[in-house]
Amino acid sequence: MSVTTITASTNSSVCGSPDTSRNHFRLKRSHLLFGTEKRFLSHQCAQNLQLDRSGQRNTRVQAGWLFKGGGEQSSDASLERSDSANEDILIFFYQLDLATRVQYALNLEEYDIAKQLRNKLNEVEAEVIKQQETKRGLSIKSEAQDKGLSLLRLRADLQNAIKNENYSVAAELRDQISTLEADSLAASIKAQAFQNAQFQFRLGQKLRHKKFGYRAVVCGMDPVCCETKTWMENANVDQLTRGPDQPYYQVLVDVQEDPNLLVAYVAEENLLAPEKPDKARFDHPYASFLFFGVDSAGDFIPVKQLREKYNRPRHEVPYNPQDERAGDDA
């Protein structure tokens, strides 16, 4: 399940223009949402201001695509484009920006504003955690448990119906049990896949798409496909060897190779790590807030918050004496 909108209530005291003077410090609403001048997100985040009954202003933030690219033509690669993955990344940026604004207000000893921003950040984080729990299979595990309890009740009812010689009811219960057993098995298998997922690729790793050939960088991952049925049908997931029950990755696509794609959601079997380190330039507008930079192997280094989001360890590049000798020669 993707996060499409965040509703944030702001007090009028957070409006105005920032001033270098501490006594006149006030945060612009645009700064509250997406940082200084909102950089590359400014023209894509719709803000609809309304007054609620209490007189406070509500700011509704909706994530959108950064740009549409140079043409209207579509390609097979565009079928893997994911609005939900794009929105997930923008919401992550929103969290980072709010945290920065909290610290900025504290540095200027504007504690009331810092408190408002902190409350807003807590609301966003709570909603994101809820979405992640649903996405990562906790709800599926609960669903499997619920189906198991329902099976126990139905079997007890079946025994009572047989005992009372109510065979028509017993026949209906058998059909219900048969259907529920199949659903319960499917839910259990999917829950198990979430718990035991093994990812072949890591955050920040540069890859290539096996079919379409474009360069990409991993910025998110799911144990199984978490997109909608409609998306899976359009992306021909049923034609994949491993289908939807394999790791899927949110990837940034090098805009120099495909400016129309930007963010894709790709099955693990469709991605390939290069045989040699890819140290070529990689251009993408989201890279600046998702990664610190690149390591000696050419892969991106994810920020701490991104690693924590996906509970992934820090990757250490193996020591290579040849790199040191090459540096000395240079």
Side-chain angles (χ1 to χ4, degrees):
M1 183 180 294
S2 64
V3 179
T4 55
T5 57
I6 293 289
T7 302
S9 297
T10 63
N11 187 281
S12 58
S13 63
V14 240
C15 301
S17 301
D19 192 280
T20 54
S21 170
R22 177 178 304 176
N23 295 332
H24 296 88
F25 170 74
R26 304 172 78 191
L27 293 175
K28 282 185 178 180
R29 182 178 294 106
S30 60
H31 287 185
L32 172 65
L33 295 178
F34 291 111
T36 305
E37 298 178 2
K38 292 186 288 184
R39 297 184 179 91
F40 54 85
L41 297 175
S42 60
H43 62 290
Q44 290 299 327
C45 298
Q47 301 176 35
N48 301 319
L49 303 182
Q50 297 177 346
L51 287 174
D52 61 19
R53 293 180 182 177
S54 64
Q56 290 184 328
R57 285 175 176 167
N58 288 333
T59 303
R60 185 173 178 84
V61 181
Q62 183 165 354
W65 286 101
L66 175 66
F67 55 83
K68 297 298 183 182
E72 297 297 327
Q73 70 278 10
S74 61
S75 65
D76 290 340
S78 68
L79 297 178
E80 293 181 335
R81 180 168 55 196
S82 172
D83 290 333
S84 61
N86 183 70
E87 291 166 358
D88 186 56
I89 294 170
L90 294 184
I91 295 302
F92 176 73
F93 177 74
Y94 182 37
Q95 289 178 270
L96 293 181
D97 189 68
L98 275 176
T100 301
R101 293 290 151 185
V102 170
Q103 189 58 54
Y104 184 41
L106 290 174
N107 291 343
L108 295 178
E109 298 181 6
E110 292 288 347
Y111 301 116
D112 289 340
I113 292 178
K115 183 178 180 180
Q116 293 177 43
L117 290 167
R118 168 52 64 182
N119 291 339
K120 189 179 304 301
L121 179 58
N122 290 339
E123 292 176 10
V124 175
E125 288 177 343
E127 180 64 23
V128 169
I129 289 173
K130 187 188 304 182
Q131 299 287 353
Q132 288 177 346
E133 288 177 348
T134 300
K135 185 177 182 181
R136 296 186 183 184
L138 296 184
S139 63
I140 297 175
K141 183 177 180 181
S142 176
E143 178 186 352
Q145 293 171 343
D146 291 342
K147 290 182 184 298
L149 292 174
S150 297
L151 277 172
L152 292 176
R153 288 194 293 267
L154 285 175
R155 285 169 180 154
D157 293 341
L158 176 60
Q159 292 298 323
N160 290 331
I162 294 174
K163 183 178 179 180
N164 296 325
E165 299 183 356
N166 194 343
Y167 300 118
S168 61
V169 173
E172 293 178 0
L173 288 171
R174 286 194 188 96
D175 291 340
Q176 293 179 30
I177 289 173
S178 178
T179 301
L180 192 57
E181 282 177 339
D183 293 343
S184 178
L185 179 61
S188 298
I189 292 174
K190 194 165 187 178
Q192 194 71 16
F194 271 88
Q195 294 176 356
N196 300 328
Q198 297 292 325
F199 294 101
Q200 182 178 350
F201 306 116
R202 63 181 184 276
L203 292 172
Q205 188 173 5
K206 287 181 181 177
L207 306 170
R208 275 203 178 273
H209 197 290
K210 288 183 179 178
K211 182 177 180 181
F212 305 123
Y214 61 72
R215 297 166 68 231
V217 169
V218 176
C219 64
M221 52 187 63
D222 295 316
V224 297
C225 184
C226 294
E227 269 287 0
T228 63
K229 290 183 179 180
T230 300
W231 185 93
M232 286 191 275
E233 290 174 358
N234 292 335
N236 301 317
V237 171
D238 60 331
Q239 297 179 16
L240 296 174
T241 303
R242 297 162 61 187
D245 296 326
Q246 62 176 305
Y248 271 70
Y249 297 85
Q250 295 179 6
V251 299
L252 307 182
V253 180
D254 189 345
V255 296
Q256 299 299 323
E257 297 192 10
D258 193 337
N260 298 303
L261 190 50
L262 200 66
V263 178
Y265 194 58
V266 187
E268 187 172 80
E269 69 177 75
N270 278 338
L271 293 170
L272 180 67
E275 295 181 1
K276 297 181 179 180
D278 181 359
K279 297 184 179 182
R281 176 172 175 171
F282 187 98
D283 290 323
H284 198 285
Y286 294 173
S288 60
F289 65 84
L290 292 173
F291 308 109
F292 287 119
V294 295
D295 58 26
S296 59
D299 292 322
F300 281 90
I301 305 171
V303 298
K304 179 182 178 181
Q305 295 89 334
L306 187 63
R307 288 191 290 105
E308 290 175 345
K309 177 180 178 181
Y310 291 100
N311 192 27
R312 308 311 297 170
R314 178 175 177 175
H315 174 70
E316 299 291 344
V317 179
Y319 172 69
N320 187 350
Q322 293 182 354
D323 292 340
E324 187 172 316
R325 288 196 297 270
D328 293 340
D329 294 339

